[in-house]
Amino acid sequence: MSADITTTEEWAALAAHAEKIRTIHLRDEFAADPERVTRMTAQAADLYVDYSKNLVTDETVRLLVALAGRVALGDRIQAMFRGEHINTSEDRAVLHTALRLPRDASLVVDGQDVVRDVHAVLDQMAAFAERVRSGEWVGHTGQRIRTVVNIGIGGSDLGPVMAYEALAPYRDAGIECRYVSNIDPTDLSVTLADLDPATTMFVIVSKTFSTLETLTNATEARTWLLAGLGGDDAAVAKHFVAVSTNEQRVRDFGIDPANMFGFWDWVGGRYSYDSAVGLSLMLAIGPDGFREMLAGFHAVDEHFRTARLESNVPALLGLLNVWYNNFLGAQTHAVLPYSQLLHRFPAYLQQLTMESNGKSVTRDGQPVSYQTGEVFWGEPGTNGQHAFYQLIHQGTKTVPADFIGFSEPNYDLGDMHDAFMANFFAQTSALAFGRTAEEIEAQGVAADVVPHKVMPGNHPTTSILVPKLTPATLGQLVALYEHIVFTEGTVWGIDSFDQWGVELGKEMAKQLTPLLHGEPGEADPSTATLIARYREQRGR
Ligand code: F6P
């Protein structure tokens, strides 16, 4: 059994240091140290990261790096990249980094050259994507495919849809993708309402091919397709493809395994959109764009694998998150992309971070005695500014925030991008330095209003400035957060790669379904009463 991290001298040193940090103000730290920014910036591939506006000193960083040493972060990084079974509760390797290894690399895991397997699937995806994109692949009635409907949920949805939205400027084949995830019948109904079955292709994405939401939506989609195309079962082969690790279940569902794109149990769902799970994205942006994205992921992987912890961006940002979560009492973490294209990025990150690190036992099954995963949330700037930033500026909670901005826009109108980014810079500055009562009084504000206008400042932010949103930099950003999650999970000693907590609800939904139809079954008193009312309102 590993020692409780809170009993180590590194933890104690950070706890003592936190008392000092509670009394500092970023205004003073910056005033006293002209070199602060130079020291507290780092670069990972194209990502320029300024963490100087965090509630830290050089000593904080040194102590956090010491904590990382205590949990052997460096060794665990190497173990992950080597393909050791670090997902202990499922006894699996964790190898999303292998999905982006270049073709000439080699990595043998459990006796299998995974790089060869990865590139074989990438080639299969590329060949298929080219056929669909060029119009060589036609539907049952001979028409080319215009719309791709991705049916999946969780990691089989959030990553692909986030990236499809983010890379809108790179869609170049006139193929529109839509994403259906919810078992709420509204989702599929609204998505299909204006589509023509003759020009629609469904990509059914499910690692297990057993997820109720996905299989239910896929079954209804097949019914819709056949109804629209005259009921000929042969149409399915032209309009349905599958992405899964489970060939037998794909076959059982009625999809020809020739139209299946595989991946492996060493890819977690929330770490999978750069595998065949991203097929819809490849159909939209093409194989070259997809490969550029993989190269972006790989560049940050290499940085994470090789950089010293002191300048290792994902490690530093992960350690900063631990600092706020465990020593300064923060409960949440905001992610604020200054890019409308990244409007699904916070939602995507919620699964990545919270399904990974929402755990309360260590890898060896002991209850943790400390806080683990923070609540991640966010919205694109500047919309968030007019919604919840008030609480970050003047509320009572510490909300560390990542600001993600791009120097070059993908779209520009007049001076809009500069106006947009001026907000990015203004917000991080206002959050750090605020405005004092004296400054406000000097503006002639009435004394009784002054306290309401005081901006305390000292609110921590990290600025991530990227040259431009491209497939490559999107890959870099996602890899950055994947490795931040890994760093935090390593410090907390938890398994960031299982998700047992979602199973009970799934089981119970199955158990309760008969009750909704008036059949006998067990339910707690509150739930039984709710179901009774539901049935009454349904007229049953
Ligand atoms: O929410 C639980 C979960 O298992 C996620 O981890 C996963 O991304 C999602 O369900 C979908 O699973 P599958 O790809 O097997 O359908």
PDB file of all heavy atoms in Angstrom, residues 110-129:
ATOM      1  N   ASP A 110       2.337  -5.750 -25.017  1.00  0.00           N
ATOM      2  CA  ASP A 110       1.692  -7.058 -24.845  1.00  0.00           C
ATOM      3  C   ASP A 110       1.900  -7.904 -26.117  1.00  0.00           C
ATOM      4  O   ASP A 110       0.981  -8.544 -26.630  1.00  0.00           O
ATOM      5  CB  ASP A 110       0.186  -6.893 -24.543  1.00  0.00           C
ATOM      6  CG  ASP A 110      -0.056  -6.047 -23.290  1.00  0.00           C
ATOM      7  OD1 ASP A 110       0.828  -6.031 -22.408  1.00  0.00           O
ATOM      8  OD2 ASP A 110      -1.109  -5.383 -23.206  1.00  0.00           O
ATOM      9  N   GLY A 111       3.125  -7.834 -26.669  1.00  0.00           N
ATOM     10  CA  GLY A 111       3.486  -8.660 -27.815  1.00  0.00           C
ATOM     11  C   GLY A 111       3.004  -8.161 -29.167  1.00  0.00           C
ATOM     12  O   GLY A 111       3.163  -8.832 -30.187  1.00  0.00           O
ATOM     13  N   GLN A 112       2.434  -6.958 -29.218  1.00  0.00           N
ATOM     14  CA  GLN A 112       1.815  -6.468 -30.454  1.00  0.00           C
ATOM     15  C   GLN A 112       2.434  -5.117 -30.850  1.00  0.00           C
ATOM     16  O   GLN A 112       2.571  -4.241 -29.990  1.00  0.00           O
ATOM     17  CB  GLN A 112       0.308  -6.288 -30.168  1.00  0.00           C
ATOM     18  CG  GLN A 112      -0.569  -5.974 -31.331  1.00  0.00           C
ATOM     19  CD  GLN A 112      -0.742  -7.136 -32.302  1.00  0.00           C
ATOM     20  OE1 GLN A 112      -0.386  -8.274 -31.986  1.00  0.00           O
ATOM     21  NE2 GLN A 112      -1.231  -6.855 -33.480  1.00  0.00           N
ATOM     22  N   ASP A 113       2.816  -4.956 -32.135  1.00  0.00           N
ATOM     23  CA  ASP A 113       3.351  -3.666 -32.580  1.00  0.00           C
ATOM     24  C   ASP A 113       2.176  -2.709 -32.792  1.00  0.00           C
ATOM     25  O   ASP A 113       1.494  -2.738 -33.822  1.00  0.00           O
ATOM     26  CB  ASP A 113       4.157  -3.826 -33.868  1.00  0.00           C
ATOM     27  CG  ASP A 113       4.780  -2.492 -34.302  1.00  0.00           C
ATOM     28  OD1 ASP A 113       4.441  -1.445 -33.703  1.00  0.00           O
ATOM     29  OD2 ASP A 113       5.596  -2.504 -35.230  1.00  0.00           O
ATOM     30  N   VAL A 114       1.938  -1.863 -31.790  1.00  0.00           N
ATOM     31  CA  VAL A 114       0.730  -1.042 -31.840  1.00  0.00           C
ATOM     32  C   VAL A 114       0.830   0.044 -32.913  1.00  0.00           C
ATOM     33  O   VAL A 114      -0.193   0.483 -33.442  1.00  0.00           O
ATOM     34  CB  VAL A 114       0.376  -0.422 -30.460  1.00  0.00           C
ATOM     35  CG1 VAL A 114       0.060  -1.492 -29.446  1.00  0.00           C
ATOM     36  CG2 VAL A 114       1.467   0.490 -29.954  1.00  0.00           C
ATOM     37  N   VAL A 115       2.050   0.464 -33.257  1.00  0.00           N
ATOM     38  CA  VAL A 115       2.170   1.529 -34.265  1.00  0.00           C
ATOM     39  C   VAL A 115       1.695   1.005 -35.626  1.00  0.00           C
ATOM     40  O   VAL A 115       0.996   1.706 -36.370  1.00  0.00           O
ATOM     41  CB  VAL A 115       3.622   2.042 -34.352  1.00  0.00           C
ATOM     42  CG1 VAL A 115       3.735   3.159 -35.377  1.00  0.00           C
ATOM     43  CG2 VAL A 115       4.094   2.540 -32.988  1.00  0.00           C
ATOM     44  N   ARG A 116       2.052  -0.242 -35.910  1.00  0.00           N
ATOM     45  CA  ARG A 116       1.598  -0.824 -37.179  1.00  0.00           C
ATOM     46  C   ARG A 116       0.070  -0.896 -37.207  1.00  0.00           C
ATOM     47  O   ARG A 116      -0.573  -0.536 -38.194  1.00  0.00           O
ATOM     48  CB  ARG A 116       2.213  -2.212 -37.346  1.00  0.00           C
ATOM     49  CG  ARG A 116       2.498  -2.525 -38.797  1.00  0.00           C
ATOM     50  CD  ARG A 116       3.041  -3.882 -39.019  1.00  0.00           C
ATOM     51  NE  ARG A 116       2.381  -4.881 -38.189  1.00  0.00           N
ATOM     52  CZ  ARG A 116       2.965  -5.999 -37.783  1.00  0.00           C
ATOM     53  NH1 ARG A 116       4.204  -6.256 -38.104  1.00  0.00           N
ATOM     54  NH2 ARG A 116       2.304  -6.870 -37.045  1.00  0.00           N
ATOM     55  N   ASP A 117      -0.513  -1.325 -36.092  1.00  0.00           N
ATOM     56  CA  ASP A 117      -1.977  -1.425 -36.024  1.00  0.00           C
ATOM     57  C   ASP A 117      -2.631  -0.055 -36.200  1.00  0.00           C
ATOM     58  O   ASP A 117      -3.614   0.095 -36.930  1.00  0.00           O
ATOM     59  CB  ASP A 117      -2.417  -1.998 -34.670  1.00  0.00           C
ATOM     60  CG  ASP A 117      -1.959  -3.433 -34.482  1.00  0.00           C
ATOM     61  OD1 ASP A 117      -1.490  -4.024 -35.473  1.00  0.00           O
ATOM     62  OD2 ASP A 117      -2.066  -3.939 -33.352  1.00  0.00           O
ATOM     63  N   VAL A 118      -2.077   0.937 -35.505  1.00  0.00           N
ATOM     64  CA  VAL A 118      -2.654   2.285 -35.566  1.00  0.00           C
ATOM     65  C   VAL A 118      -2.638   2.793 -37.005  1.00  0.00           C
ATOM     66  O   VAL A 118      -3.645   3.312 -37.519  1.00  0.00           O
ATOM     67  CB  VAL A 118      -1.863   3.248 -34.639  1.00  0.00           C
ATOM     68  CG1 VAL A 118      -2.143   4.703 -34.988  1.00  0.00           C
ATOM     69  CG2 VAL A 118      -2.197   2.969 -33.177  1.00  0.00           C
ATOM     70  N   HIS A 119      -1.505   2.635 -37.678  1.00  0.00           N
ATOM     71  CA  HIS A 119      -1.419   3.183 -39.044  1.00  0.00           C
ATOM     72  C   HIS A 119      -2.231   2.371 -40.043  1.00  0.00           C
ATOM     73  O   HIS A 119      -2.712   2.924 -41.041  1.00  0.00           O
ATOM     74  CB  HIS A 119       0.047   3.373 -39.452  1.00  0.00           C
ATOM     75  CG  HIS A 119       0.612   4.609 -38.816  1.00  0.00           C
ATOM     76  ND1 HIS A 119       0.512   5.849 -39.407  1.00  0.00           N
ATOM     77  CD2 HIS A 119       1.193   4.801 -37.609  1.00  0.00           C
ATOM     78  CE1 HIS A 119       1.023   6.758 -38.578  1.00  0.00           C
ATOM     79  NE2 HIS A 119       1.452   6.145 -37.484  1.00  0.00           N
ATOM     80  N   ALA A 120      -2.406   1.090 -39.758  1.00  0.00           N
ATOM     81  CA  ALA A 120      -3.271   0.295 -40.653  1.00  0.00           C
ATOM     82  C   ALA A 120      -4.694   0.856 -40.600  1.00  0.00           C
ATOM     83  O   ALA A 120      -5.357   1.034 -41.641  1.00  0.00           O
ATOM     84  CB  ALA A 120      -3.243  -1.176 -40.243  1.00  0.00           C
ATOM     85  N   VAL A 121      -5.178   1.176 -39.400  1.00  0.00           N
ATOM     86  CA  VAL A 121      -6.542   1.734 -39.291  1.00  0.00           C
ATOM     87  C   VAL A 121      -6.596   3.142 -39.890  1.00  0.00           C
ATOM     88  O   VAL A 121      -7.555   3.495 -40.588  1.00  0.00           O
ATOM     89  CB  VAL A 121      -7.047   1.715 -37.829  1.00  0.00           C
ATOM     90  CG1 VAL A 121      -8.397   2.417 -37.719  1.00  0.00           C
ATOM     91  CG2 VAL A 121      -7.172   0.287 -37.322  1.00  0.00           C
ATOM     92  N   LEU A 122      -5.559   3.938 -39.624  1.00  0.00           N
ATOM     93  CA  LEU A 122      -5.550   5.294 -40.210  1.00  0.00           C
ATOM     94  C   LEU A 122      -5.617   5.213 -41.738  1.00  0.00           C
ATOM     95  O   LEU A 122      -6.326   5.993 -42.386  1.00  0.00           O
ATOM     96  CB  LEU A 122      -4.280   6.044 -39.792  1.00  0.00           C
ATOM     97  CG  LEU A 122      -4.299   6.696 -38.414  1.00  0.00           C
ATOM     98  CD1 LEU A 122      -2.905   7.234 -38.063  1.00  0.00           C
ATOM     99  CD2 LEU A 122      -5.330   7.827 -38.349  1.00  0.00           C
ATOM    100  N   ASP A 123      -4.887   4.257 -42.306  1.00  0.00           N
ATOM    101  CA  ASP A 123      -4.905   4.105 -43.771  1.00  0.00           C
ATOM    102  C   ASP A 123      -6.290   3.666 -44.250  1.00  0.00           C
ATOM    103  O   ASP A 123      -6.784   4.132 -45.278  1.00  0.00           O
ATOM    104  CB  ASP A 123      -3.839   3.095 -44.223  1.00  0.00           C
ATOM    105  CG  ASP A 123      -2.425   3.652 -44.018  1.00  0.00           C
ATOM    106  OD1 ASP A 123      -2.291   4.876 -43.842  1.00  0.00           O
ATOM    107  OD2 ASP A 123      -1.469   2.843 -44.013  1.00  0.00           O
ATOM    108  N   GLN A 124      -6.891   2.762 -43.496  1.00  0.00           N
ATOM    109  CA  GLN A 124      -8.245   2.295 -43.858  1.00  0.00           C
ATOM    110  C   GLN A 124      -9.231   3.463 -43.793  1.00  0.00           C
ATOM    111  O   GLN A 124     -10.066   3.643 -44.694  1.00  0.00           O
ATOM    112  CB  GLN A 124      -8.659   1.189 -42.865  1.00  0.00           C
ATOM    113  CG  GLN A 124     -10.005   0.551 -43.151  1.00  0.00           C
ATOM    114  CD  GLN A 124     -10.614  -0.139 -41.916  1.00  0.00           C
ATOM    115  OE1 GLN A 124     -10.017  -0.134 -40.827  1.00  0.00           O
ATOM    116  NE2 GLN A 124     -11.797  -0.710 -42.089  1.00  0.00           N
ATOM    117  N   MET A 125      -9.102   4.278 -42.733  1.00  0.00           N
ATOM    118  CA  MET A 125      -9.988   5.453 -42.598  1.00  0.00           C
ATOM    119  C   MET A 125      -9.755   6.424 -43.763  1.00  0.00           C
ATOM    120  O   MET A 125     -10.707   6.961 -44.342  1.00  0.00           O
ATOM    121  CB  MET A 125      -9.684   6.214 -41.291  1.00  0.00           C
ATOM    122  CG  MET A 125     -10.101   5.513 -40.023  1.00  0.00           C
ATOM    123  SD  MET A 125      -9.294   6.246 -38.559  1.00  0.00           S
ATOM    124  CE  MET A 125      -9.954   7.914 -38.526  1.00  0.00           C
ATOM    125  N   ALA A 126      -8.477   6.644 -44.092  1.00  0.00           N
ATOM    126  CA  ALA A 126      -8.154   7.628 -45.140  1.00  0.00           C
ATOM    127  C   ALA A 126      -8.716   7.166 -46.485  1.00  0.00           C
ATOM    128  O   ALA A 126      -9.301   7.968 -47.238  1.00  0.00           O
ATOM    129  CB  ALA A 126      -6.643   7.825 -45.225  1.00  0.00           C
ATOM    130  N   ALA A 127      -8.573   5.872 -46.771  1.00  0.00           N
ATOM    131  CA  ALA A 127      -9.061   5.354 -48.065  1.00  0.00           C
ATOM    132  C   ALA A 127     -10.583   5.523 -48.136  1.00  0.00           C
ATOM    133  O   ALA A 127     -11.139   5.974 -49.154  1.00  0.00           O
ATOM    134  CB  ALA A 127      -8.667   3.885 -48.221  1.00  0.00           C
ATOM    135  N   PHE A 128     -11.240   5.194 -47.035  1.00  0.00           N
ATOM    136  CA  PHE A 128     -12.702   5.319 -46.987  1.00  0.00           C
ATOM    137  C   PHE A 128     -13.105   6.798 -47.105  1.00  0.00           C
ATOM    138  O   PHE A 128     -13.999   7.155 -47.880  1.00  0.00           O
ATOM    139  CB  PHE A 128     -13.205   4.718 -45.664  1.00  0.00           C
ATOM    140  CG  PHE A 128     -14.646   4.968 -45.386  1.00  0.00           C
ATOM    141  CD1 PHE A 128     -15.641   4.296 -46.095  1.00  0.00           C
ATOM    142  CD2 PHE A 128     -15.036   5.878 -44.408  1.00  0.00           C
ATOM    143  CE1 PHE A 128     -16.989   4.525 -45.835  1.00  0.00           C
ATOM    144  CE2 PHE A 128     -16.371   6.115 -44.141  1.00  0.00           C
ATOM    145  CZ  PHE A 128     -17.350   5.439 -44.858  1.00  0.00           C
ATOM    146  N   ALA A 129     -12.419   7.648 -46.331  1.00  0.00           N
ATOM    147  CA  ALA A 129     -12.770   9.072 -46.335  1.00  0.00           C
ATOM    148  C   ALA A 129     -12.608   9.649 -47.743  1.00  0.00           C
ATOM    149  O   ALA A 129     -13.468  10.417 -48.206  1.00  0.00           O
ATOM    150  CB  ALA A 129     -11.903   9.833 -45.334  1.00  0.00           C
TER     151      ALA A 129
END
